[in-house]
Amino acid sequence: MKKSMLGVIDATMLPGEMGDLALYRSPAAIPFAGRYRLIDFVLSNMVNSGVQSVAIFPRSPYRSLMDHLGSGKDWDLNRKRDGLFFFPSPTKEGQLDRMSEHLNYFHRSDQKYVIVSNCTTVANMDFAPVLDRFIKQNCDVLEVTHKGESTYIYLLSLELLLDLIDRRNETGYESVQAAVEDASSSLIKCQYEFEGFLQRIKTVDDYYQTSMELLEKDKWSELFNEFQPIYTKVKDEPPTNYLAGSHVTNAMIANGCIISGEVNHSIVFRGVAIGKNSTVKNSIVMQKSKIGENCVLEHVIIDKDVSVQDGAILRGTPEKPLVIKKGSVESAVTSS
């Protein structure tokens, strides 16, 4: 039964909602939790639930997203039949309009049901019981909820999805969400309450707060487990090197780093260097960024390839973390 599901990921969230983190990339491609991208979670959930065909509908800029996903090999989606499909649609605004440009994909599919999801929900979810609920309750469309609120993840039949696409001008529905939220609709609507760890990343604050939550052992364990792994693009990196004088407490450190300073309650991505007598606290430092000597970082999000010069002091607040743009050079005292 699992293999009867088709996956659709709507990766058209407006970049502006994620501020400087989405200046050069789709929100779906924003790095997260040390070695992942936001899209890795829903994509891995689909694969772990037996989905073998996934269509991604992105919004520009999507070069970084395409580079990350590649052929889908790291998610076992580089297949002769089915697999990973990428459908840019620069001229269409509505979700159903974008799907209408690729009807051949849906008509060629053998799957009977479709999971339609956003691209920035962080969770480890098995869709098999969702499908069981859908079938047992004879639903037309099922909405996944968390703590009583929508996750904007839906399950419906492929037949109904094609009907919604075909009749979109008549009904005025621009998306599956619009059909679900229409109180006058005759559709049989059901809900499935997901009880595990789940966060929808919509803003920079969401991103920062969720990242900090993952430093709590119980929440990290809910999201990452050996039975339903979260897959990502594989990169070969050496182990992290902790030099004399370094001190690390309650931190998530990826491979390939060189740590000479202090890291406390922070997330450090692959290939980061942190210099002597520098302190990184309550912060996120993304890939290949370099932190010089005698620096202080507190409540900061450092994007990729940033160079923080010796003696720089960067401070944000828990409510408003300071975001340093990708590729920047920081050499002064900066605060948010």
Side-chain angles (χ1 to χ4, degrees):
M1 183 181 293
K2 286 183 177 182
K3 295 180 181 179
S4 63
M5 291 186 288
L6 185 71
V8 171
I9 300 176
D10 188 340
T12 60
M13 175 183 173
L14 290 171
E17 297 173 10
M18 290 298 296
D20 289 345
L21 293 179
L23 278 179
Y24 307 105
R25 57 170 78 93
S26 160
I30 291 175
F32 184 77
R35 60 191 296 264
Y36 303 92
R37 303 293 180 116
L38 287 178
I39 198 171
D40 289 343
F41 295 88
V42 66
L43 185 56
S44 296
N45 290 339
M46 289 179 175
V47 170
N48 289 333
S49 301
V51 175
Q52 296 182 350
S53 181
V54 179
I56 297 175
F57 290 82
R59 183 192 297 270
S60 183
Y62 48 77
R63 184 197 60 78
S64 178
L65 180 61
M66 292 184 68
D67 176 68
H68 176 68
L69 296 173
S71 66
K73 177 182 178 181
D74 294 302
W75 296 265
D76 192 30
L77 288 172
N78 56 332
R79 299 168 172 271
K80 291 183 178 179
R81 179 170 179 78
D82 293 330
L84 184 68
F85 298 85
F86 204 78
F87 294 136
S89 186
T91 62
K92 299 294 185 180
E93 288 301 319
Q95 182 188 70
L96 297 178
D97 272 346
R98 289 187 289 271
M99 292 182 186
S100 74
E101 293 191 333
H102 303 282
L103 285 176
N104 284 343
Y105 168 76
F106 295 105
H107 286 305
R108 289 199 310 265
S109 299
D110 293 334
Q111 291 81 2
K112 186 176 180 180
Y113 307 102
V114 186
I115 304 165
V116 179
S117 175
N118 63 79
C119 61
T120 60
T121 292
V122 173
N124 194 324
M125 185 186 309
D126 184 358
F127 291 117
V130 180
L131 179 58
D132 289 340
R133 171 76 59 84
F134 178 89
I135 294 172
K136 288 177 181 177
Q137 294 191 355
N138 196 30
C139 311
D140 287 324
V141 59
L142 184 147
E143 177 182 36
V144 179
T145 60
H146 181 251
K147 297 182 179 179
E149 296 185 0
S150 179
T151 64
Y152 304 100
I153 299 174
Y154 306 98
L155 179 63
L156 66 164
S157 69
L158 177 57
E159 181 182 7
L160 176 57
L161 179 61
L162 288 171
D163 182 66
L164 290 174
I165 295 171
D166 184 57
R167 297 175 57 237
R168 65 193 184 281
N169 294 328
E170 175 189 338
T171 62
Y173 299 149
E174 293 187 349
S175 62
V176 174
Q177 177 186 344
V180 171
E181 293 179 350
D182 181 5
S184 65
S185 169
S186 61
L187 294 174
I188 300 173
K189 305 167 190 175
C190 308
Q191 291 185 338
Y192 177 92
E193 175 71 9
F194 177 71
E195 297 180 350
F197 177 84
L198 184 146
Q199 294 289 350
R200 175 109 187 270
I201 310 297
K202 297 174 287 185
T203 65
V204 172
D205 183 59
D206 292 338
Y207 175 87
Y208 178 76
Q209 298 300 335
T210 302
S211 297
M212 294 297 100
E213 282 187 71
L214 291 183
L215 293 170
E216 300 173 26
K217 184 178 179 180
D218 58 336
K219 293 182 179 178
W220 186 91
S221 298
E222 276 194 71
L223 190 59
F224 300 104
N225 66 70
E226 60 182 308
F227 306 106
Q228 294 183 155
I230 303 299
Y231 302 101
T232 192
K233 183 178 181 179
V234 174
K235 294 183 179 180
D236 294 325
E237 299 272 1
T240 286
N241 192 0
Y242 298 92
L243 301 181
S246 64
H247 183 67
V248 177
T249 56
N250 193 35
M252 189 185 300
I253 312 285
N255 292 344
C257 298
I258 299 175
I259 310 294
S260 299
E262 179 180 349
V263 182
N264 180 21
H265 201 261
S266 295
I267 297 175
V268 179
F269 284 68
R270 295 161 167 156
V272 168
I274 298 176
K276 292 181 180 179
N277 301 315
S278 288
T279 301
V280 177
K281 185 176 181 180
N282 297 316
S283 295
I284 300 164
V285 184
M286 294 188 194
Q287 296 98 305
K288 298 182 180 179
S289 289
K290 309 298 179 186
I291 313 301
E293 298 183 359
N294 302 302
C295 298
V296 176
L297 278 65
E298 292 185 15
H299 304 293
V300 178
I301 301 173
I302 302 287
D303 208 330
K304 292 177 62 176
D305 300 315
V306 168
S307 177
V308 179
Q309 303 297 294
D310 293 351
I313 299 175
L314 306 176
R315 283 194 173 100
T317 67
E319 296 75 25
K320 189 179 180 182
L322 177 65
V323 178
I324 305 300
K325 296 178 183 178
K326 180 180 178 182
S328 300
V329 177
E330 297 292 322
S331 58
V333 176
T334 308
S335 61
S336 61

